[in-house]
Amino acid sequence: MTWPGLLAAPADPSQGPLGQLMIALGALGGLTGIGAVVGLLLQRKKFRADAAQVVTNTALTLVEPLRARVDELQKETSEARAQTRNARREADQARQAASRARAEAALAQEEVTELRATLRRVTAEMARWRSAIFAPTATVDGLRVLVASDPTGHRDSP
């Protein structure tokens, strides 16, 4: 074959050396494409693993501040509960003290009532004695008898 024979187009394009070269290059290109597809399919698991790792890292980055905030809120809740318990305890003590104060006030009121009644009796008796002292017919013996007896007329023993 001569040089012009190489360049001459054969009747069947796949018959000449150039045609065979083209077939070989086409097959090689096809194999390269298939290899790329196979490589992509094989690396698909790696892509998924890489994506899962990125998602996990992102989630951990977002979760850590939330976890810290949750811990902080739990601490605040614990403190608030302790304060509530203390406040309830103090309120119970205040209620007990108020109850005791009401009982003492009731006793004091009874004593005041008794003292007022006694004061009225003593004032009435003093008014009676005063009238007896300033009476024109008053005698020392009569006043002694009056003072020695109680308001009901009972006589004290000397």
Side-chain angles (χ1 to χ4, degrees), residues 9-49:
D12 185 9
S14 62
Q15 293 302 323
L18 191 57
Q20 289 177 356
L21 181 65
M22 294 299 275
I23 290 173
L25 285 176
L28 184 64
L31 287 176
T32 303
I34 291 173
V37 168
V38 168
L40 184 66
L41 289 175
L42 291 176
Q43 286 190 356
R44 186 173 177 193
K45 289 183 181 179
K46 184 180 184 270
F47 290 148
R48 284 186 179 171

Side-chain angles (χ1 to χ4, degrees), residues 41-75:
L41 289 175
L42 291 176
Q43 286 190 356
R44 186 173 177 193
K45 289 183 181 179
K46 184 180 184 270
F47 290 148
R48 284 186 179 171
D50 289 345
Q53 184 67 35
V54 168
V55 168
T56 301
N57 289 342
T58 303
L60 288 176
T61 303
L62 295 174
V63 165
E64 274 308 312
L66 293 175
R67 182 174 292 145
R69 181 65 180 144
V70 165
D71 291 343
E72 181 182 324
L73 290 173
Q74 286 176 338
K75 181 181 176 185

Side-chain angles (χ1 to χ4, degrees), residues 21-145:
L21 181 65
M22 294 299 275
I23 290 173
L25 285 176
L28 184 64
L31 287 176
T32 303
I34 291 173
V37 168
V38 168
L40 184 66
L41 289 175
L42 291 176
Q43 286 190 356
R44 186 173 177 193
K45 289 183 181 179
K46 184 180 184 270
F47 290 148
R48 284 186 179 171
D50 289 345
Q53 184 67 35
V54 168
V55 168
T56 301
N57 289 342
T58 303
L60 288 176
T61 303
L62 295 174
V63 165
E64 274 308 312
L66 293 175
R67 182 174 292 145
R69 181 65 180 144
V70 165
D71 291 343
E72 181 182 324
L73 290 173
Q74 286 176 338
K75 181 181 176 185
E76 288 177 12
T77 302
S78 250
E79 291 171 359
R81 286 181 179 152
Q83 288 175 351
T84 301
R85 281 191 300 273
N86 288 338
R88 285 183 178 157
R89 188 177 314 113
E90 289 174 3
D92 287 341
Q93 291 171 350
R95 278 192 287 277
Q96 291 171 357
S99 178
R100 285 190 302 269
R102 281 190 297 274
E104 289 175 12
L107 287 175
Q109 184 62 38
E110 287 177 22
E111 288 178 7
V112 166
T113 301
E114 289 175 15
L115 286 173
R116 284 184 180 155
T118 302
L119 181 62
R120 280 191 296 274
R121 283 192 310 271
V122 168
T123 302
E125 192 165 346
M126 287 177 67
R128 189 170 58 93
W129 289 352
R130 187 169 193 263
S131 296
I133 290 170
F134 288 115
T137 60
T139 63
V140 175
D141 288 333
L143 290 176
R144 282 185 185 150
V145 170

